[in-house]
Amino acid sequence: MQKITMTTPLVEMDGDEMTRVLWQMIKDKLITPYVALKTDYYDLGLKHRDETDDRVTFDSAQATLRHGVAVKCATITPNAQRVAEYGLKQMWKSPNGTIRAILDGTVFRAPVMVSGIASCVQSWIKPITIARHAYGDIYKNTEYRVPGPGVATLCFTDAEGVETRMPIHTFTGPGILQGQHNTDQSIESFAHSCFRYALGMKQDLWFSTKDTISKVYDHHFKDVFADLYENVYRSEFERTGISYFYTLIDDAVSRVIRSEGGFIWALKNYDGDVLSDMVATAFGSLAMMTSVLVSPNGQFEYEAAHGTVTRHYYRYIKGEETSTNPVATIFAWTGALGKRGELDGLPALVDFAKALEAATLATIEGGQMTKDLAALFQGNAKALTSEGFLDAIAATLAGMLAA
């Protein structure tokens, strides 16, 4: 078949370790045989980020603002051990945090559901979408190691130079401090994105924080959501037949476990980070989770919502076989290609993205999959290597497109 022509490039953000290996395989085996791939490429591998003093991460986010759609491979956020391993200049911050701060969006994550793999939570028969605020809190924090006795205060200096100080703690010995922040603009963008996404999906929206303890910080999130719902979205929600409600995160967790799924759960940045992993694992695997950052200005960044699979990478570079699940990375590509086709009026590109997703699911449902899924599959399952699974998907896709 003639390759599909693209008109506007995707911003392509390459990554690290085993996911970087799979990234290239996915392009070679599943995409470039059918699509004349057009990308604005940025190498976000840890070595290159260090070489550019992390400038490449900022450049990739700015490119996303220009082009509108990006696809990102998993990347390393270095700790002290990684600094030593890679000989880094410093402990660079999370590239995801940097990109999300620039795009100021909301991350929507939902499980990829497959026939034959049931949720660990028996009542969950519909997907649960996590809407994660993508700015601030601990991801933009300032930290300090307190060396000894002293007084810590919270100080704010306004535009007129007037200081407001509040006591935090009187230390009688060593300790630690952390300062975090958020902005009304970002919280409002988060709320708007969640309400609009719920309307688009025609699903109920839940929101939860810990406002009984955090009576200013978390409570402000709650107030912003409540004000926007009452003054902007209530009538449209009622016309659509969906609901919005707020509850404490403690209560929300127990409600979610008892639910059948099929709703959007909005959470602050760290809460969304942790609970999206819980939801993904309960539905089967961290590698079976779609993830898209939606900017209030209309930019989209698709990514795999898991790490770089370091253990498998070390085996791979020794020449050993691996069985690494590439589904989330495949769906990052299909999400980006589908959105690019939608925005550019290219139905052939949209259809191809849908076909690749269908081929991936059909391959698993036909009993061919990686080891993590084979252990969960309710039927006869053949566990394949990383490359063997991609080859099986390629064969399924070729058959679908030739039919």
Side-chain angles (χ1 to χ4, degrees):
M1 61 177 285
Q2 185 176 358
K3 289 189 179 184
I4 300 166
T5 301
M6 296 176 62
T7 55
T8 309
L10 290 174
V11 177
E12 179 184 353
M13 305 174 185
D14 211 343
D16 288 297
E17 298 188 321
M18 197 64 207
T19 46
R20 187 183 181 99
V21 174
L22 295 174
W23 190 262
Q24 190 61 48
M25 287 185 185
I26 289 166
K27 289 199 296 181
D28 292 344
K29 295 175 181 291
L30 302 179
I31 298 174
T32 55
Y34 305 101
V35 178
L37 194 59
K38 188 175 183 179
T39 72
D40 187 0
Y41 178 87
Y42 294 85
D43 183 358
L44 267 57
L46 185 53
K47 287 183 179 180
H48 192 241
R49 278 184 274 145
D50 191 62
E51 290 167 0
T52 64
D53 294 331
D54 209 29
R55 183 71 246 171
V56 66
T57 305
F58 290 87
D59 290 345
S60 70
Q62 292 297 327
T64 305
L65 291 174
R66 293 194 305 272
H67 295 306
V69 183
V71 58
K72 181 182 175 297
C73 184
T75 48
I76 295 169
T77 299
N79 55 16
Q81 181 265 323
R82 293 292 202 171
V83 170
E85 178 185 353
Y86 281 83
L88 303 179
K89 299 171 186 174
Q90 63 175 273
M91 197 181 301
W92 302 107
K93 293 208 170 192
S94 162
N96 286 338
T98 299
I99 293 164
R100 290 166 188 163
I102 292 171
L103 298 183
D104 188 25
T106 299
V107 177
F108 294 94
R109 290 180 173 171
V112 177
M113 299 188 71
V114 185
S115 296
I117 299 177
S119 168
C120 296
V121 182
Q122 294 183 359
S123 62
W124 288 0
I125 58 175
K126 300 176 184 177
I128 296 169
T129 299
I130 299 291
R132 173 188 170 189
H133 188 210
Y135 176 80
D137 302 347
I138 65 169
Y139 299 86
K140 295 287 286 183
N141 68 8
T142 300
E143 299 178 314
Y144 179 65
R145 177 71 169 97
V146 176
V151 178
T153 60
L154 180 65
C155 176
F156 174 75
T157 306
D158 69 18
E160 303 301 322
V162 177
E163 287 188 354
T164 300
R165 290 181 176 270
M166 299 178 65
I168 296 175
H169 185 69
T170 298
F171 287 88
T172 58
I176 48 177
L177 277 171
Q178 181 183 92
Q180 58 181 357
H181 78 280
N182 227 293
T183 68
D184 281 12
Q185 178 183 342
S186 184
I187 298 168
E188 289 167 7
S189 293
F190 171 45
H192 279 298
S193 295
C194 292
F195 287 125
R196 291 168 186 165
Y197 197 84
L199 287 166
M201 297 295 290
K202 295 182 172 57
Q203 290 184 334
D204 293 342
L205 174 65
W206 299 13
F207 179 51
S208 55
T209 67
K210 190 68 171 177
D211 67 285
T212 53
I213 302 299
S214 179
K215 297 181 186 298
V216 175
Y217 200 102
D218 279 26
H219 206 291
H220 189 60
F221 277 81
K222 175 185 176 182
D223 289 343
V224 169
F225 268 77
D227 290 345
L228 283 176
Y229 179 66
E230 291 298 332
N231 297 315
V232 179
Y233 293 104
R234 175 184 280 278
S235 60
E236 198 169 356
F237 263 57
E238 291 174 349
R239 283 197 305 272
T240 307
I242 59 176
S243 63
Y244 164 73
F245 89 101
Y246 173 86
T247 188
L248 279 172
I249 194 166
D250 320 54
D251 178 57
V253 168
S254 62
R255 286 174 180 260
V256 167
I257 290 296
R258 294 195 301 267
S259 77
E260 67 174 12
F263 56 87
I264 298 160
W265 187 11
L267 294 157
K268 288 172 54 198
N269 209 343
Y270 178 75
D271 299 338
D273 191 1
V274 174
L275 290 172
S276 65
D277 283 354
M278 182 272 289
V279 169
T281 303
F283 274 105
S285 168
L286 287 174
M288 300 290 285
M289 195 79 164
T290 64
S291 181
V292 57
L293 173 68
V294 182
S295 163
N297 297 316
Q299 288 87 21
F300 301 83
E301 184 238 331
Y302 295 82
E303 63 176 346
H306 57 70
T308 57
V309 203
T310 305
R311 182 171 54 88
H312 286 199
Y313 179 65
Y314 290 154
R315 290 174 53 193
Y316 171 81
I317 59 178
K318 291 178 183 177
E320 299 175 7
E321 288 187 343
T322 66
S323 185
T324 315
N325 190 332
V327 171
T329 306
I330 293 171
F331 274 61
W333 273 104
T334 58
L337 290 169
K339 180 56 70 173
R340 184 79 277 165
E342 176 190 323
L343 295 176
D344 291 353
L346 299 173
L349 191 58
V350 175
D351 291 344
F352 170 77
K354 292 178 180 177
L356 178 50
E357 290 183 358
T360 302
L361 299 182
T363 301
I364 297 170
E365 290 168 355
Q368 299 183 90
M369 62 202 74
T370 46
K371 286 182 180 179
D372 60 323
L373 298 181
L376 304 171
F377 193 71
Q378 298 170 342
N380 295 322
K382 182 179 181 182
L384 303 175
T385 64
S386 309
E387 189 167 6
F389 180 51
L390 290 172
D391 287 337
I393 296 171
T396 304
L397 178 63
M400 285 182 170
L401 295 176

